Each structure stands twice: as structure tokens, then as C-alpha cells.
């Protein structure tokens, strides 16, 4: 699971109102090399919840020097875009789980694939 | 077949069942350009992305006989011809015949007969600057080929379409397929209908083996998908490939993208129930492209309680736990899909999906609508004598308001798909009468491949 995806996911456990962002408890994390595409990164930045991204990067121990706030004029700031690219697309959670911050419910991640299915009584 | 687009004409080479899809593709691609239509270099590039056509030509003349063609060509404005025929240019003439094979000498005769045209350049067979084409249509019945063509066309070749790409992307060659993997040509057509472009973010909520994502990644879009079936997402379970029992370790969606060199655009796939959205409330996706289950080949499911099923012990969630499924009524699938798309598509973003249809009862009012969407197109693909599916394209024109998700309940359109598996029942009622037994395993691929044969 990549952090771009994680940034867009929320807990859908019945009755939960503060289900975002999901906490990440990773047991295996991998950093891949993914071709840098500055246009794509620029397009995704407005869709992100920046603080949730920083929090997720911290949880995985991969924050490095990612700033706590979005910089202005990021479209032309290649150095910044490369940092964002790395955290969005290159850092991958292979094993672990996502946890609903309100209910504590855990969604397992296996082979990089989150299982978001709820049980019959939670739906 | 002549397709008039603004004041120009294109002749679509290779008439086939995808004709209506081509019209929509052209419109979508023209909309993508956002400009008035002029067949310049950029247009030729667009033609190259048409998956329904083999080639496109600038039509100069046509007729039902060669003398009519001649009259038509002589009335074509010479200033539109001269840029391509002046004495310093090189050219060649190709002859194409549909449904008939011409002898070499007959081809030469036809080329010679075009000498009334003001060709001033030199013939270059290997690499001409301009290629002209004479097309003869001998109908569609290979058992009844007329001596003279039904119609003839002459034009200047512009570009070739992507039919050969369909071959290279053929599902037969793909690492990972399932029972309902989308015909390669149709995947590309769907991506075109959705105006998928480079750096878009595309989502498929019924992703299966990822056929649609493969096509979208080809356009440079980044792709993600979900599916309720754990085994399909993980690439496990019985193989759909003939002569193969179980899927190998390299059979999953990511492997499919790797096969086509678009692995960098693979975002994620997840096991998830589309009726219970896991996405936060925001306009996340540029396009949503999907083929929802029809309830025939792949069963329609969603999570929910069944009274007679034992619950797992509290607090223990097995990693591969697959919750009990309950029947997901077809009408719910579409209203959920439209509602989900209204909330998660960008403004102007498109939803493209297949709608199964019981033909004897079909009427346009059955296409589900939503106040946030404008219906762009509705193209039919026949599956059998009494069923077909329709490719529906919708464009988001308005942000959703509180009550929008409920408006469908008051809509008379809502009723046709109501009732438990109504489509399934209608589909099988005809079959059961003939066979006299229950048979859920319709050979869907047979029906598909029959229609897909070229």
C-alpha cells in the first residue's frame, strides 16, 4: 500500500465519525524505485490532506525532511516534488495493518494489499 | 461507411460492430482537444489512438459506381488537392477492397483509371510523402460477393488506428486473466470514452483482474482498484486459462501492468466492498471506469449479516477472513455506483460502465440517472438473442447535495432492476426452458468471443 492511497482512505466502521486518517501499524515496509513524474505529483498535491501525509510518513519512520506545511509554488520546486514523489509512491507498506483511530478496528495489509472488508455485524 | 464530422468526412476502414462506439470515441477525443475540428498533425495523433478503426482517410469523393466516383472527385475543390499532388511531392496509391480479393492486374487497372486526377508528383512505393486510397465495398456477406462494388471511395490516408495494439494487448497473451477479463479492444474504447489522459487518477471499483486498468495505464494514467473477491485481488485460486489449474505467483494485476511496461502507474488494489466506500469525501478521481458484475458469470455480492451464519470470535480477525456475502441487487449496484461517482469524481470527470440489458424489455428510460451527471452516450453490444450490455458514459456536471442520493427512489426508472436478481432470472428463463435444468455456468467467453471475432 502506498501513502498516496492511504491519504485518501478513511474508516467506514458503522457509527464512526472521526475515522480519518487511519493509523498505520507496519511490520514490513519497502522503498521501491519509481520513475519520477513531476506533473503527476503536482496534480496530486491539491488532493492531499497534507498533515495526514506527514503523520503517515512519521509513523513509518520515513518522514526525512518533508516539511510540516505545503510550500508555495510547489509546481516549479523540483527538489520539493521529488520528496513528495518519494513519500507518495516509493514508500510501500507490505505487511501490517491500518487502524481506525476511533473504534480501534484493524484492517490487515498483506503482500501490500489492504483488506478493508468489514464483518457482517459491523456493516 | 461515411462518418461526417463537422465539414470533414472520415471513412472508417473495417466496418464492424464497433461502429457506434467509434462515433463516441471520436466525439470524446475531439472534446479532449477542445478545439474546432481540423485534421492536422495533432488530429492524426488522435486517430492513432482510435481502437475501433484501422485507418482514417480524408474523403475526396465517393459514389456507388466508379463513374459516380469520378464525377464526385472532379467536383472536389482542386485547391484542396494540390498541396498533396504538386510536382515535388511523392505518392503512392493503395487499393482496399472489403469482402473481395482483387487480382494484381485488376488493381493496376483501377490505379490507371484514376489518371483524370491531377497527380503531378512522382510515385514512390517505399516511402511516399502522401498515400491515396481507393476503397471498394463489396458488402458483408462472404457467400454472396457481387461482381461490382456497392460503393467506392477515394481519399487521402491520414493515419492508422490501433487495431494492432489490440492484438498485442490481447487477453490471450496476458499473464493474468479471469473469466470476465475485458476484451482488449473494449478496454481501450472505454478508456477513450472516459477521456483518460496522462497523469490522471483512475479508479475501478469492480477491478477483477484489472483489464480496464491496463488500458488506462497505457494512456499514462495512474490506476487503482478494489474488488470484493480476495482471491482475485491476490492472484490466487483456480486459473481461468485453459490447461492451467492454479494461478502462478506472477498472476496479479501488477504483473499485468509490468508486462506492458506501465508498472510505474500502478497505485494500489484493495479488497473492499464497493457498496461500503472506504474513500474520504473529496473529488479524488479523474475517471471511474468499471464493469460491474451482472450476476451471471461472477456472482454479485456484498457484505452483510445472515442470521444462520456463526459469527467469528470477537476481536479475532483472520487476515484472509472473507465475510459472508448477501445478494446485491442489480439496481443497488448502479445507484451506489452513480452516487459514489458523484461524490468522488472531479467536476467534468467521467464514469464509464457496462449496464446489462434484457433486450425484449429494454427502453432508454432504464438507464440509471443521477442529478449530478449528464448522460453522454449509450452504446449497445449484443451478447445473445435476448441480452446485451450497454456502455454508458456519464459526465459529472454538479456537486452532490444532501438529498441527491435519494432522488432515484421517486424515479420510475428505479423499478426495472428491482427484485432479487431480476436480470439473472430473465437471462436464465430462456435458457432453462431449452435445457430444462439449472445451469449457472454460462459460457460467457464463448458469447464474447463470437462477437469479438474479427
Amino acid at each position: 500500500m502506498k501513502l498516496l492511497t492511504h491519504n485518501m482512505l478513511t474508516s467506514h466502521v458503522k457509527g464512526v465519525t472521526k475515522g480519518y486518517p487511519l493509523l498505520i501499524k507496519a511490520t514490513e515496509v519497502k522503498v521501491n524505485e519509481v520513475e519520477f513524474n513531476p506533473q503527476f505529483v503536482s496534480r496530486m498535491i491539491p488532493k492531499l490532506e497534507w498533515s495526514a501525509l506527514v503523520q503517515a510518513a512519521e509513523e513509518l519512520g520515513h518522514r526525512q525532511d518533508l516539511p510540516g506545511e505545503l510550500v508555495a509554488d510547489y509546481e516549479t520546486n523540483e527538489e520539493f516534488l521529488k520528496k513528495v514523489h518519494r513519500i507518495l509512491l516509493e514508500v510501500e507498506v507490505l505487511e501490517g495493518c491500518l487502524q481506525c483511530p476511533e473504534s480501534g478496528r484493524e484492517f490487515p495489509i498483506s503482500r501490500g494489499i489492504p483488506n478493508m472488508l468489514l464483518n457482517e455485524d459491523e456493516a | 461507411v461515411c462518418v461526417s464530422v463537422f465539414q470533414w468526412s472520415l471513412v472508417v476502414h473495417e466496418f464492424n460492430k464497433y461502429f457506434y462506439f467509434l462515433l463516441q470515441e471520436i466525439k470524446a477525443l475531439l472534446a479532449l482537444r477542445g478545439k474546432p475540428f481540423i485534421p492536422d498533425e495533432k488530429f492524426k495523433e488522435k486517430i492513432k489512438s482510435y481502437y475501433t478503426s484501422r485507418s482514417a482517410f480524408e474523403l475526396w469523393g465517393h459514389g456507388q459506381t466508379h463513374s459516380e466516383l469520378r464525377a464526385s472527385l472532379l467536383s472536389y475543390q482542386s485547391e484542396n488537392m494540390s498541396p498533396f499532388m504538386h510536382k515535388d511531392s511523392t505518392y503512392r496509391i493503395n487499393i482496399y477492397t472489403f469482402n473481395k480479393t482483387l487480382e494484381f492486374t485488376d488493381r493496376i487497372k483501377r490505379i490507371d483509371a484514376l489518371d483524370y486526377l491531377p497527380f503531378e508528383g512522382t510515385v514512390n512505393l517505399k516511402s511516399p510523402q502522401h498515400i491515396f486510397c481507393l476503397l471498394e465495398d463489396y458488402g458483408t456477406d462472404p457467400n454472396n460477393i457481387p461482381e461490382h462494388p456497392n460503393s467506392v471511395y477515394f481519399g487521402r490516408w491520414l493515419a492508422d488506428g490501433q487495431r494492432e495494439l489490440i492484438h498485442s494487448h490481447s487477453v490471450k497473451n496476458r499473464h493474468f486473466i479471469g473469466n470476465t477479463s475485458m476484451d482488449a479492444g473494449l478496454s481501450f474504447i472505454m478508456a477513450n470514452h472516459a477521456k483518460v489522459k496522462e497523469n490522471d487518477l483512475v479508479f475501478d471499483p469492480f477491478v477483477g483482474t484489472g483489464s480496464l486498468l491496463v488500458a488506462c495505464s497505457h494512456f499514462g494514467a495512474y490506476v487503482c482498484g478494489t474488488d470484493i473477491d480476495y482471491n482475485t485481488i491476490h492472484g490466487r485460486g483456480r486459473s481461468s486459462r485453459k490447461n492451467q489449474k492454479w494461478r502462478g505467483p506472477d498472476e496479479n494485476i501488477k504483473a499485468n501492468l509490468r508486462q506492458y511496461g506501465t508498472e510505474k502507474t500502478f497505485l494500489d488494489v484493495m479488497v473492499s466492498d464497493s457498496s461500503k466506500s472506504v474513500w474520504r469525501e473529496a473529488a479524488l478521481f479523474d475517471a471511474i471506469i468499471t464493469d460491474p458484475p451482472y450476476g451471471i458469470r461472477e456472482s454479485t455480492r456484498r457484505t452483510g449479516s445472515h442470521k444462520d451464519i456463526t459469527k467469528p470470535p470477537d476481536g479475532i480477525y483472520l487476515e484472509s477472513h472473507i465475510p459472508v456475502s448477501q445478494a446485491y441487487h442489480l439496481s443497488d449496484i448502479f445507484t451506489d455506483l452513480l452516487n459514489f461517482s458523484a461524490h468522488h469524481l472531479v467536476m467534468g470527470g467521467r464514469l464509464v460502465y457496462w449496464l446489462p440489458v434484457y433486450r425484449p424489455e429494454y427502453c432508454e428510460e432504464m438507464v440509471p440517472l443521477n442529478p449530478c451527471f449528464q448522460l453522454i452516450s449509450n452504446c449497445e453490444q449484443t451478447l445473445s438473442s435476448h441480452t446485451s450490455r450497454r456502455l454508458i458514459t456519464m459526465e459529472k456536471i454538479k456537486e452532490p447535495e444532501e438529498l441527491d442520493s435519494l432522488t432515484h427512489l421517486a424515479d420510475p426508472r428505479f423499478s426495472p432492476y428491482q427484485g432479487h436478481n431480476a436480470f439473472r432470472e430473465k437471462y436464465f428463463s430462456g435458457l432453462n426452458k431449452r435445457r430444462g435444468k439449472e445451469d449457472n455456468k454460462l459460457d460467457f467467453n464463448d458469447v464474447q468471443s463470437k462477437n469479438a471475432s474479427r
Side-chain angles (χ1 to χ4, degrees), chain B residues 115-161:
Chain B
D115 60 359
Y116 56 86
L117 287 173
F119 292 105
E120 286 178 37
T122 347
V123 172
N124 181 328
L125 295 180
K126 273 221 170 110
S127 43
Q129 287 169 309
H130 307 294
I131 298 177
F132 301 100
C133 304
L134 175 71
L135 297 94
E136 295 184 341
D137 174 17
Y138 289 88
T140 50
D141 186 353
N143 298 317
N144 190 12
I145 303 174
E147 191 182 327
H148 298 290
N150 298 332
S151 41
V152 290
Y153 306 86
F154 181 86
R156 180 173 68 95
W157 176 85
L158 293 175
D160 279 331

Side-chain angles (χ1 to χ4, degrees), chain B residues 55-72:
Chain B
S55 321
F57 310 92
E58 182 182 77
L59 189 71
W60 286 10
H62 68 287
Q64 289 183 323
T65 62
H66 279 276
S67 10
E68 277 185 29
L69 172 67
R70 182 193 162 111
S72 172

Side-chain angles (χ1 to χ4, degrees), chain B residues 69-131:
Chain B
L69 172 67
R70 182 193 162 111
S72 172
L73 282 171
L74 290 174
S75 66
Y76 189 74
Q77 300 230 320
S78 57
E79 55 255 30
N80 290 334
M81 287 192 194
S82 44
F84 314 104
M85 291 174 129
H86 65 84
K87 64 178 171 50
D88 298 321
S89 65
T90 58
Y91 73 98
R92 65 171 283 170
I93 300 177
N94 290 343
I95 313 275
Y96 293 106
T97 51
F98 301 114
N99 201 31
K100 187 169 188 160
T101 313
L102 281 188
E103 297 292 315
F104 179 72
T105 45
D106 291 325
R107 289 176 187 267
I108 298 298
K109 274 188 206 159
R110 280 159 174 73
I111 292 176
D112 288 341
L114 291 168
D115 60 359
Y116 56 86
L117 287 173
F119 292 105
E120 286 178 37
T122 347
V123 172
N124 181 328
L125 295 180
K126 273 221 170 110
S127 43
Q129 287 169 309
H130 307 294
I131 298 177

Side-chain angles (χ1 to χ4, degrees), chain B residues 276-293:
Chain B
K276 295 177 175 61
S277 171
V278 298
W279 306 93
R280 72 171 148 85
E281 186 72 21
L284 301 167
F285 307 113
D286 296 292
I288 294 175
I289 303 185
T290 193
D291 183 21

Side-chain angles (χ1 to χ4, degrees), chain A residues 16-81:
Chain A
V16 161
T17 50
K18 296 200 176 88
Y20 181 87
L22 291 161
L23 306 171
I24 311 179
K25 289 153 99 173
T27 53
E28 192 182 332
V29 177
K30 189 171 167 225
V31 180
N32 305 303
E33 206 181 297
V34 177
E35 193 182 314
F36 174 55
N37 179 349
Q39 287 85 15
F40 177 71
V41 180
S42 292
R43 283 197 84 232
M44 290 302 113
I45 287 175
K47 299 189 211 255
L48 301 172
E49 286 286 338
W50 190 259
S51 51
L53 182 68
V54 175
Q55 183 184 327
E58 289 259 18
E59 279 179 300
L60 297 182
H62 278 273
R63 182 180 170 178
Q64 294 183 352
D65 50 355
L66 193 71
E69 303 233 324
L70 192 59
V71 316
D73 298 327
Y74 55 79
E75 293 100 328
T76 46
N77 188 335
E78 183 165 301
E79 209 185 298
F80 175 73
L81 289 178

Side-chain angles (χ1 to χ4, degrees), chain B residues 196 212-223 257 260 262 265-266:
Chain B
V196 171
L212 300 181
L213 297 190
V214 170
C216 293
S217 72
H218 174 76
F219 288 98
Y222 286 68
V223 297
L257 289 176
Y260 298 114
T262 53
T265 61
F266 177 80

